Amino acid sequence: MEIFGRRNPFLFILFYIIFSVFVPRPLECCHLVDKTSLLDFKQKVTSDPSNLLKTWTLSTDCCKSWEGIACNSNGRVVNVSRPGLSSGDDFIIDTSMSGTLSPSLANLSFLELLDLSNLKDLTGPIPPEFGKLSRLSYLFLDTNKLSGSIPVTFKYLVQLKKLYLSDNTLSGTIPSSIFESFLSLSQLGLSTNQLSGPIPSSIGNLVSLSKLDMSRNKLFGSIPESIGRLKSLSYVDLSENELSGKIPNSIGNLSQVSLMYLNQNQLRGKIPSSISGLSSLVFCRLSENQLSGSIPPSIGNLPKIQRLIFENNKLSGKLPATLGHLVTLTDIYFSNNLFTGKIPSSFGNLKNLQILDLSKNKLSGEIPHQLVKLVSLQTLDLSFNPLGLSRIPNWFNKLGLFRLILAKTGIRGKLPSWLASSSLSTLDLSNNGLTGKLPTWIGNMTNLSLLNLSNNAFHSSIPDEFKNLTLLMDLDLHSNRFSGNLRAILSKNFQDPLGHYNSIDLAYNMFNGPLDENIGIEPVMDSILSLSLSHNPLTGHIPKSLGNLTTLQEIKLAENGLTGGIPTELGNAKELKTILLSNNKLEGAIPAQVLNLKDLQEFDVSGNRLSGSIPPHKANIPKSAFLGNHGLCGAPLPPCSHT
């Protein structure tokens, strides 16, 4: 008993020898052909920064030890999954891999899933040998740099259920023969490539297809009528191509489609009345085409629709009153068409409507009072319509709007005082006939982030209360008769991180006096992109502190009364693309540091009193930008005299 109760080294060694000799080691599960094929793929990988293939070694079992590999009970590889983007409960992996797709992967004859998506840097063609993968159900090669054409041999992948080749540089036409075989295909992603030619009419054979994405290619020709046979389709995106012709009537057969994007093509003709058959449609985008004619009244039969985006077409006629039946609508974008007549009073039924954009049409007549019932409305844009409003209706104050845009709608007189108690973040009343002073209660509109009162007839200084607009980031008051100094604007208060200016346009007014020397170190100016003060009777020097505006891309100080020199410090504003200083009284030389800003595209100092040699520069600046300075010389002006 003692021999078993205590550790005995001799017995331990004896048992080990017996175990080693008489108990066979398990055989490797991984099939040699599969292992060889995968190692050949690894050999063609030139960079694997996250070691996705680290465990793929000759000395280990590919079924048991290799990450991303799954085998069946016979040791045949069925899944290869090494995507560049993956996540778990507490991690996200986003990595890349460089190399090419090895044709030897086609020897994985039992393969059902191949996922090499999102590796970013896989290059070269898709091997036509992949057509031999007859058991393949899922193929994900999207988000790489694969080139060449879609192999015709894909027609042999008869088991395929999902195919994603999006976000590559694939070119050529889509082989029509492959669509004759994909009877089980449920999802097809070919977006963001350089595919050209027509959509094959054989697409009608994909009767199991639920998702179709061919967006952002160079496809042309008509949308085939056969698309109406895809009765299982729930998502279709053909946007950003060069498709022409009419929207086929058969589109109305797609009763399961919830999202349909046909925008940014060259589609013509009318919206078919069969659109009423899209009974599951939630999002519909037909914008940026050349569609014409009236919207069919049958559109009022879409029981689930939430977004209608028809902007930037040539649609005309009256807006159908049946649109008021679409009580699920949240967004209407009908901007930049040729609609005429009145806004239908039935729009007042759209209780869920959040955005109504009818801008840039030919709508006229009164705004129906029934719109006061739109309790969810956040954005109302009726700008650039000949509405002849005269004034903003007082019932607008009952709407809880965040954005109100009524540019060029015929408004006259003074700003209505109810605006003082509104919650607007965007107010655009530009291109109207508004007059009078900018009221002191403007300071109560503390939610404003954008204010555009340009092209009106305001005449006053800017009240000190303007400083209370602590969220204001974009200000456009150009083409009025505002006067006085700029202190209330350029030193307004802010609420970090909001309320720092993106843009200021005060051109074509009567602001006067010198620019504050500290304009460039005001905290509210530290992220400004555009500053336009041209055509004002300003005086004094160009402040050196403008060079501290490191995000500034354009500065316009033309047609003022500025004197002194162009400060060299302006060259410290490294993002500048546009500098307009023409028709002032500037003197001295042009600083080389300013003229050689790396992003400079537009520069004009004509009509000043500058002198000296124009510094050598890379920007393509015309001769006219330097004329009217009698002391300037050197290219592109005549050479300087050496006498």
Side-chain angles (χ1 to χ4, degrees):
M1 293 295 292
E2 186 179 5
I3 196 169
F4 293 102
R6 297 167 55 190
R7 293 178 180 266
N8 190 310
F10 174 78
L11 282 178
F12 180 84
I13 294 170
L14 180 62
F15 286 144
Y16 179 83
I17 293 172
I18 294 172
F19 184 87
S20 301
V21 173
F22 296 103
V23 180
R25 296 180 182 178
L27 294 173
E28 184 169 332
C29 291
C30 184
H31 195 282
L32 181 60
V33 170
D34 294 353
K35 186 172 188 176
T36 303
S37 300
L38 292 169
L39 288 174
D40 187 67
F41 166 65
K42 181 180 179 179
Q43 190 175 11
K44 289 179 169 58
V45 171
T46 56
S47 174
D48 181 14
S50 293
N51 292 316
L52 291 175
L53 307 182
K54 182 180 180 181
T55 59
W56 294 21
T57 63
L58 184 62
S59 60
T60 55
D61 187 331
C62 76
C63 291
K64 294 182 176 180
S65 303
W66 292 16
E67 291 181 357
I69 303 298
C71 300
N72 63 17
S73 58
N74 295 319
R76 301 309 302 263
V77 172
V78 292
N79 290 358
V80 176
S81 183
R82 292 281 77 193
L85 185 63
S86 59
S87 62
D89 292 337
D90 57 355
F91 71 91
I92 295 178
I93 294 174
D94 188 1
T95 187
S96 62
M97 184 187 291
S98 302
T100 58
L101 292 174
S102 170
S104 65
L105 288 174
N107 295 327
L108 301 172
S109 55
F110 285 79
L111 194 65
E112 298 173 10
L113 179 147
L114 177 58
D115 186 356
L116 299 175
S117 64
N118 238 301
L119 291 170
K120 288 86 170 174
D121 293 321
L122 289 181
T123 58
I126 300 172
E129 290 86 350
F130 279 18
K132 295 193 299 182
L133 297 171
S134 59
R135 289 181 170 86
L136 197 63
S137 295
Y138 306 96
L139 179 56
F140 305 118
L141 300 176
D142 49 292
T143 317
N144 281 291
K145 295 177 181 175
L146 299 172
S147 56
S149 58
I150 299 173
V152 178
T153 55
F154 272 20
K155 65 183 179 181
Y156 300 117
L157 304 179
V158 294
Q159 302 293 328
L160 212 55
K161 295 179 181 177
K162 294 183 182 180
L163 173 61
Y164 280 88
L165 305 177
S166 306
D167 293 288
N168 282 287
T169 57
L170 299 173
S171 57
T173 59
I174 301 170
S176 65
S177 59
I178 67 173
F179 288 165
E180 294 167 6
S181 307
F182 288 169
L183 301 182
S184 300
L185 197 69
S186 65
Q187 296 185 16
L188 176 61
L190 302 178
S191 66
T192 318
N193 280 289
Q194 298 174 23
L195 298 169
S196 57
I199 298 173
S201 59
S202 57
I203 197 170
N205 295 322
L206 307 183
V207 291
S208 299
L209 201 64
S210 63
K211 183 174 182 179
L212 172 63
D213 190 352
M214 294 182 171
S215 62
R216 295 184 294 280
N217 279 288
K218 299 177 181 178
L219 300 172
F220 54 81
S222 300
I223 299 172
E225 193 79 29
S226 60
I227 199 170
R229 290 161 52 190
L230 307 182
K231 302 292 180 64
S232 299
L233 205 60
S234 63
Y235 177 111
V236 56
D237 189 350
L238 304 178
S239 65
E240 297 183 52
N241 279 288
E242 298 167 18
L243 299 171
S244 56
K246 296 182 177 181
I247 299 173
N249 283 319
S250 64
I251 209 90
N253 297 330
L254 305 179
S255 59
Q256 299 301 312
V257 164
S258 62
L259 183 149
M260 183 171 70
Y261 286 171
L262 305 180
N263 53 293
Q264 288 175 262
N265 281 288
Q266 298 167 23
L267 299 172
R268 297 177 177 271
K270 295 184 176 182
I271 298 171
S273 59
S274 62
I275 194 172
S276 59
L278 299 171
S279 54
S280 299
L281 194 61
V282 178
F283 303 118
C284 181
R285 187 166 187 175
L286 307 180
S287 55
E288 291 86 33
N289 280 290
Q290 298 178 42
L291 298 171
S292 57
S294 301
I295 296 176
S298 61
I299 200 167
N301 297 321
L302 301 176
K304 297 182 180 179
I305 192 69
Q306 292 181 21
R307 304 188 82 192
L308 286 176
I309 305 177
F310 293 175
E311 60 195 3
N312 300 314
N313 278 288
K314 298 178 181 178
L315 297 168
S316 59
K318 294 183 178 180
L319 295 171
T322 53
L323 284 166
H325 300 162
L326 305 178
V327 294
T328 54
L329 265 178
T330 60
D331 300 352
I332 293 178
Y333 289 95
F334 288 177
S335 174
N336 202 24
N337 280 286
L338 302 169
F339 294 119
T340 55
K342 294 183 177 182
I343 300 169
S345 59
S346 61
F347 277 27
N349 299 327
L350 304 177
K351 59 183 180 181
N352 292 301
L353 197 66
Q354 297 175 18
I355 297 174
L356 177 58
D357 185 353
L358 304 176
S359 62
K360 299 177 183 175
N361 281 287
K362 297 182 178 181
L363 298 170
S364 58
E366 291 186 7
I367 301 173
H369 185 270
Q370 287 85 349
L371 297 191
V372 76
K373 296 187 293 183
L374 301 181
V375 294
S376 299
L377 196 64
Q378 297 178 8
T379 295
L380 178 61
D381 189 349
L382 304 178
S383 58
F384 297 95
N385 280 289
L387 292 170
L389 284 184
S390 296
R391 62 184 181 85
I392 304 173
N394 283 332
W395 56 264
F396 271 33
N397 67 356
K398 297 179 181 178
L399 296 170
L401 293 173
F402 293 127
R403 302 178 75 244
L404 177 60
I405 306 172
L406 297 174
K408 204 169 185 179
T409 51
I411 302 169
R412 299 192 300 271
K414 296 182 179 182
L415 287 175
S417 58
W418 60 261
L419 286 171
S421 58
S422 72
S423 299
L424 290 170
S425 65
T426 294
L427 177 62
D428 185 348
L429 302 177
S430 60
N431 295 279
N432 282 297
L434 291 165
T435 58
K437 296 181 178 182
L438 189 64
T440 56
W441 54 252
I442 195 77
N444 295 337
M445 300 185 69
T446 52
N447 288 315
L448 277 178
S449 65
L450 183 151
L451 176 62
N452 187 351
L453 301 176
S454 64
N455 279 300
N456 279 287
F458 288 105
H459 56 85
S460 71
S461 58
I462 305 298
D464 284 343
E465 288 80 1
F466 189 92
K467 289 185 176 183
N468 297 333
L469 302 183
T470 55
L471 299 179
L472 189 67
M473 295 187 289
D474 294 283
L475 174 65
D476 191 349
L477 302 179
H478 83 265
S479 302
N480 280 281
R481 287 183 288 162
F482 286 114
S483 59
N485 63 55
L486 303 174
R487 193 172 300 112
I489 294 174
L490 300 180
S491 61
K492 79 170 186 70
N493 300 320
F494 54 92
Q495 291 183 33
D496 266 334
L498 304 175
H500 297 253
Y501 282 122
N502 294 319
S503 63
I504 298 175
D505 189 349
L506 306 177
Y508 294 94
N509 277 288
M510 300 172 66
F511 291 112
N512 53 45
L515 289 173
D516 192 319
E517 190 59 45
N518 294 323
I519 181 174
I521 57 175
E522 290 284 354
V524 76
M525 301 288 287
D526 61 10
S527 58
I528 194 166
L529 302 175
S530 175
L531 177 61
S532 178
L533 304 177
S534 297
H535 297 269
N536 282 285
L538 298 171
T539 58
H541 300 315
I542 298 174
K544 295 179 181 180
S545 64
L546 287 171
N548 294 337
L549 302 179
T550 54
T551 60
L552 191 64
Q553 295 181 8
E554 63 175 29
I555 184 165
K556 298 178 180 180
L557 297 174
E559 300 276 353
N560 294 309
L562 299 172
T563 57
I566 300 172
T568 303
E569 290 81 358
L570 195 59
N572 295 330
K574 301 294 186 184
E575 300 296 317
L576 274 171
K577 298 177 181 178
T578 299
I579 301 175
L580 304 183
L581 305 176
S582 59
N583 296 305
N584 282 287
K585 301 173 184 178
L586 300 173
E587 301 174 333
I590 299 173
Q593 187 176 348
V594 174
L595 199 52
N596 282 284
L597 284 161
K598 64 180 177 64
D599 294 325
L600 193 63
Q601 298 172 6
E602 189 177 5
F603 181 82
D604 192 347
V605 291
S606 60
N608 280 287
R609 302 170 183 175
L610 299 169
S611 58
S613 177
I614 297 172
H617 52 278
K618 295 180 181 179
N620 185 19
I621 300 169
K623 178 180 178 180
S624 59
F626 300 98
L627 293 176
N629 293 279
H630 300 301
L632 277 182
C633 57
L637 298 180
C640 299
S641 170
H642 295 290
T643 58

